[in-house]
Amino acid sequence: MPLSPAAHDPAGTGSVSGRSRQGAEPPSGRTEAEPAAHDPAGTGSLSGRSPQRAERTTAAPSDPAHRSAPEETPRRTPGPTDAEPTPTEPAADKPAEPAAGGPATGRRGRAALLTTALTAALLLLALLSAGIGAYHIPTADVLASVQHHLGLGGAPLDRVGESVLWNVRLPRVVLALLVGASLGCAGALMQGVFGNPLAEPGVIGISAGAAVGAVAAIGLGLSFFGNWTITACAFTAGLITVSAVYLLSRNGGRTEVVTLILTGIAVNAFAGALIGLFVFFADSGQVNQITFWQLGSLAQATWPKVLAVLPCALAGLLVAPFYARRLDLLSLGEGPARHLGIDVERLRRALILVVALLTAAAVAVAGVITFIGLLVPHLLRMANGPGHRFLVPGSALAGAVVLVAGDLAARTLAQPAELPLGVLTALIGSPFFFWLLRRTRRKQGGWA
């Protein structure tokens, strides 16, 4: 009997094309591995055979020599193209270089641009606010009078103009600048301390608590610190209020947004009840002063009031930027911040003290003015990101711009009457707060 074709195939392919399928079957007594054993190339290929036979044949080799042959990868001498990596394949040992003009560079550029724009807007609004009113003073005359008082040339105004500018307008502009900067900075610090975007001294009741301290000083006729009495009482009451809000809004080691807002509602209601009680027992003169605290206004601005609030406002505004880096670390979470060396509780206590100082300084001279600390940090955060190195001082600058513009609008929109500044800011800030509340709830998928 002649040998099977696979045994005499010179190429070792096992090809039996042109023969019948029965003729391709091995004779009885032969194993399935014979074609592979006689295949010089070790391929075990059987073209034209049935799939079942091909599967059994390719799976059959058991000889180590034949099994390792297909697994060996032939070595190739490196060519000239192997000296450098391909353009689509970066070198393994070469670190990737950051692209020029990355996110950090762009953010710093935006921060510088925003700072320049806000500074220019503040100077322009201050000049306009100093000149616009019932007694109009041209901007050039305002600049000339300021230069004359600073010893830089210029010329003084007439007697009435000098009195209006230096005894009425400029104290009001400076007071609006200090109060707006204090409220804006306090809002940025509050949002960083509580770790949520809804925290604000007015929303969670700190402004109302500080107003209670000021109203108590007025209603009880306290004067143990002279011109500093109202400021001291407002500061003490604000500190007590913010401590109570902080403790009541903590649950399981974190601050919940719902608890924060509900606590603020309760504190505002209780503070309103206390203010109403003082109004009930006050005389007519004290009632007018208490109404001033409730509505918020800068109509009674004088240089002594500016000097009374200036130390508290400057102390808080100068200290706050030094906590910017620690606030950035705290935004990662309490656990990561502790691992990075931050004493979280100590940081929060210090910042709560700064917030109470800034809020008390503002409330002591301007009454309750809400939503500045909520609106301003959010606008800056949307414009330049959440980094506190720009957000804290930028919120102070933008808060001054917003309140100077708001005071100018309150004086001019309903001439000869004057709108309460706190009412005007609440009319603008309340819709923004409502939009922010719904946006935050939608992003978190609900409060439950």
Side-chain angles (χ1 to χ4, degrees), residues 113-141:
L113 182 62
L114 285 172
T115 302
T116 304
L118 289 173
T119 304
L122 181 60
L123 294 176
L124 179 61
L125 285 171
L127 289 174
L128 292 176
S129 183
I132 296 176
Y135 185 87
H136 181 71
I137 304 174
T139 303
D141 294 344

Side-chain angles (χ1 to χ4, degrees), residues 174-222:
V174 175
L175 198 60
L177 190 152
L178 290 175
V179 171
S182 298
L183 293 177
C185 184
L189 293 178
M190 284 293 296
Q191 293 174 12
V193 167
F194 284 95
N196 67 74
L198 301 177
E200 193 263 343
V203 173
I204 62 176
I206 299 177
S207 297
V212 169
V215 168
I218 295 171
L220 300 176
L222 303 179

